[in-house]
Amino acid sequence: MHSNFVMSPLPEVETKSTQIKEKEKIDINYARVEQQFIELLATNNLDKKLDAEPALKSEFESSLSVAIRAAYQNGAGDDVAHCFLQRILYRINRLNLFWYDDLRHYINERSPYLHKVRDQIETACQEWELAQIDVAALQQLDVKQALIERCADDLDPPLSQDSRYIREEMSEAGYRHLLAIGSFDGLVEGSRLSRILGGAANQVQCTLVRVLLEEYGNGRFSRKHSTFFAQMLAEFGMNTEPEGYFDLVPWEVLACANHNFLLTECKRHFLRYSGGLTYFEVAGPAAYRNYLAAAQRLGLSDAAMGYWELHIREDERHGRWMLDDVALPLTQMYPDDAWQLVLGYDQEKLTGDRAAKAVVRSIRVAEQAILSES
């Protein structure tokens, strides 16, 4: 499978100087710096090596600091810096999963230095993300009622302008671009959920296991959801390897993945993750119906749209499970902390909407490029 060390580096672009303070207008080649980090990931005895030769990390660390300021501390933020940071963070986070690749790729999975880099990015990113939500207001809510109302609103929302574009205008080339970006998550679906299933047994845990089992085709590879996604890719002769289209993935989509890595790796965030997963399962079918409508309009084969049909059926059921058998019971189990369920729900919606807009922008750019070449 596509490994941590063979992903293509970030395409070389200039730093947006207008997003960086005057004293920080430094010409940073993020592609080169990312490649340096990839080499660090593959270094034997990384921490000992860096202790002996600290100069090996100097350019990366200075670039990391500038990128954090550019992305999170200077107004609107620099998209190039966001992308660099989310790619670095993802390269660290993905080591929490097994990719059936060369075992040597995991030599630094418990490196204190990598954990330090991860925490540095996550801390800045989470402060920035949380600043966009009125957390104090969430703490005053009737959590049970708030969750019920949010789920009712998001189950079948009105069509947005982007949704209409997908349904009514997106070309077959745009559909293939959608699949390429979607494969980033679709080919490893459910993997992060597995990180929170261990522990004491109760009805909430069993419901989460049921969700995971259905995502994994109840242990049958032919029925696993990622298998259906791979079939859609194969129908167009596209790359079916996980992360095969990593370079197309907008930073907003990477941010969703990294956010969920954080929530699933830290049990203190269990309620936030459960709230976020509730939104994801409730709102998913509405998005999948848009993609299915586009495929049907384009006259594509059943194999080229089968994943969406499967998800519409199963996620409607998963959404009910998540609300009735996970989120609402957790409000009773954790009455003082239950507001975190709503925080997780709202964050998943905020980051998901941002990612969806970025995907549509990317599709439009790809379609325009094709038109320009014709």
Side-chain angles (χ1 to χ4, degrees), residues 20 23 70 75 125 214 259 264 341:
I20 302 179
K23 64 181 180 179
C125 180
E214 289 208 351
H259 177 72
T264 54
L341 288 157

Side-chain angles (χ1 to χ4, degrees), residues 203-205 207 210 320-329:
Q203 290 300 318
V204 168
Q205 185 210 34
T207 298
R210 286 165 64 199
R320 293 193 297 271
W321 290 354
M322 287 302 303
L323 177 62
D324 296 338
D325 301 329
V326 175
L328 295 182

Side-chain angles (χ1 to χ4, degrees), residues 111-123:
S111 160
Y113 180 72
L114 294 185
H115 287 192
K116 174 187 172 184
V117 172
R118 179 202 64 195
D119 292 347
Q120 185 179 355
I121 300 173
E122 279 182 346
T123 298

Side-chain angles (χ1 to χ4, degrees), residues 36-281:
Q36 290 174 352
F37 184 74
I38 293 171
E39 292 168 5
L40 290 178
L41 284 173
T43 301
N44 285 318
N45 298 314
L46 174 62
D47 292 272
K48 290 183 179 179
K49 185 82 170 176
L50 293 179
D51 286 343
E53 301 179 59
L56 292 174
K57 60 183 179 180
S58 59
E59 183 179 6
F60 169 72
E61 290 190 345
S62 63
S63 300
L64 186 67
S65 296
V66 171
I68 287 173
R69 286 191 290 273
Y72 304 123
Q73 298 170 10
N74 289 334
D78 182 336
D79 281 343
V80 179
H82 272 295
C83 192
F84 169 74
L85 292 170
Q86 294 301 330
R87 287 169 69 100
I88 294 297
L89 185 55
Y90 177 76
R91 291 184 187 279
I92 299 172
N93 282 332
R94 72 185 298 282
L95 292 174
N96 290 316
L97 304 177
F98 188 61
W99 297 84
Y100 290 87
D101 53 358
D102 192 328
L103 298 178
R104 290 172 296 180
H105 292 164
Y106 304 91
I107 55 175
N108 291 309
E109 64 179 311
R110 304 193 74 178
S111 160
Y113 180 72
L114 294 185
H115 287 192
K116 174 187 172 184
V117 172
R118 179 202 64 195
D119 292 347
Q120 185 179 355
I121 300 173
E122 279 182 346
T123 298
C125 180
Q126 284 296 307
E127 289 177 356
W128 181 74
E129 294 282 11
L130 285 169
Q132 301 175 57
I133 292 178
D134 189 346
V135 175
L138 297 184
Q139 294 174 322
Q140 306 303 316
L141 290 174
D142 177 332
V143 173
K144 181 177 179 180
Q145 188 63 29
L147 288 170
I148 291 172
E149 290 176 356
R150 280 164 166 75
C151 288
D153 289 341
D154 294 323
L155 186 61
D156 189 20
L159 291 179
S160 66
Q161 183 177 354
D162 283 347
S163 294
R164 291 190 182 280
Y165 164 75
I166 290 171
R167 283 173 168 261
E168 301 169 6
E169 300 179 41
M170 184 174 65
S171 66
E172 184 174 318
Y175 186 80
R176 290 197 299 270
H177 194 81
L178 170 69
L179 293 187
I181 295 175
S183 69
F184 171 70
D185 181 71
L187 293 178
V188 291
E189 187 170 26
S191 294
R192 290 184 297 274
L193 171 59
S194 68
R195 307 292 292 178
I196 56 111
L197 295 180
N202 55 40
Q203 290 300 318
V204 168
Q205 185 210 34
C206 288
T207 298
L208 292 170
V209 169
R210 286 165 64 199
V211 172
L212 180 72
L213 286 175
E214 289 208 351
E215 300 286 352
Y216 275 69
N218 290 300
R220 293 173 295 169
F221 184 68
S222 63
R223 302 300 301 172
K224 190 178 184 298
H225 288 187
S226 61
T227 300
F228 285 88
F229 204 104
Q231 288 171 354
M232 290 199 299
L233 294 168
E235 188 73 1
F236 292 103
M238 297 172 66
N239 189 347
T240 60
E241 291 295 312
E243 301 172 341
Y245 295 100
F246 183 74
D247 287 334
L248 296 181
V249 180
W251 72 261
E252 295 90 342
V253 175
L254 290 171
C256 289
N258 286 325
H259 177 72
N260 279 280
F261 270 116
L262 168 65
L263 299 191
T264 54
E265 294 301 317
C266 298
K267 302 307 175 285
R268 183 66 180 83
H269 299 320
F270 177 80
L271 296 182
R272 281 173 68 189
Y273 178 73
S274 297
L277 186 58
T278 299
Y279 170 76
F280 186 84
E281 298 292 349

